[in-house]
Amino acid sequence: QVQLVESGGGLVQAGGSLRLSCAASGGSILRRAMGWFRQAPGEEREFVAGLNWSGVSADYADSVKGRFTISRDSAKNTVYLQMNSLKPEDTAVYYCAAQSSFFYTNYKGMDYWGKGTLVTVSS
């Protein structure tokens, strides 16, 4: 069972930056797909960014392409989401997620979830 703990959320002005962290325990992030999702008030949770099981290929929602970057540090067993040029519409609770199976990537079928960290972008 992989436990995920997000951190780094907060209040930032539009145009600013934040870096979210997702510390994993109970299992390695290597050979496992990892992703970031978000849920705004009154909205459904949506995919934001994902790193495939090999860590080589990243995917992004169209709304964040060119502004957000997902990365990982295997030594720290941590995944990051660097968020630049933030907009008020990026306001949401951001969740980290992990795949249970190795050598497999399916962002619609993530198995482990953190409790989320709130990002608020003021205009």
Side-chain angles (χ1 to χ4, degrees):
Q1 185 85 5
V2 176
Q3 291 83 44
L4 304 171
V5 179
E6 303 94 338
S7 62
L11 174 63
V12 63
Q13 287 188 333
S17 299
L18 281 176
R19 188 177 79 156
L20 305 184
S21 299
C22 171
S25 60
S28 175
I29 63 172
L30 295 180
R31 302 177 299 281
R32 192 193 304 273
M34 302 292 296
W36 287 94
F37 296 74
R38 68 187 181 187
Q39 186 168 19
E43 302 289 332
E44 294 188 352
R45 187 164 57 191
E46 64 175 358
F47 171 80
V48 175
L51 200 57
N52 79 330
W53 67 263
S54 69
V56 172
S57 178
D59 293 288
Y60 297 94
D62 288 342
S63 59
V64 307
K65 279 181 182 176
R67 301 188 297 123
F68 290 11
T69 303
I70 186 172
S71 63
R72 72 182 187 186
D73 184 334
S74 57
K76 295 182 178 180
N77 214 33
T78 298
V79 177
Y80 302 98
L81 184 68
Q82 178 67 43
M83 306 186 295
N84 299 327
S85 302
L86 283 161
K87 305 175 181 180
E89 50 263 44
D90 294 319
T91 295
V93 176
Y94 283 72
Y95 298 91
C96 177
Q99 204 100 62
S100 61
S101 299
F102 293 128
F103 311 112
Y104 177 69
T105 300
N106 177 12
Y107 299 127
K108 294 183 179 180
M110 305 299 267
D111 302 290
Y112 304 118
W113 294 85
K115 294 183 177 180
T117 185
L118 176 62
V119 172
T120 303
V121 184
S122 63
S123 57

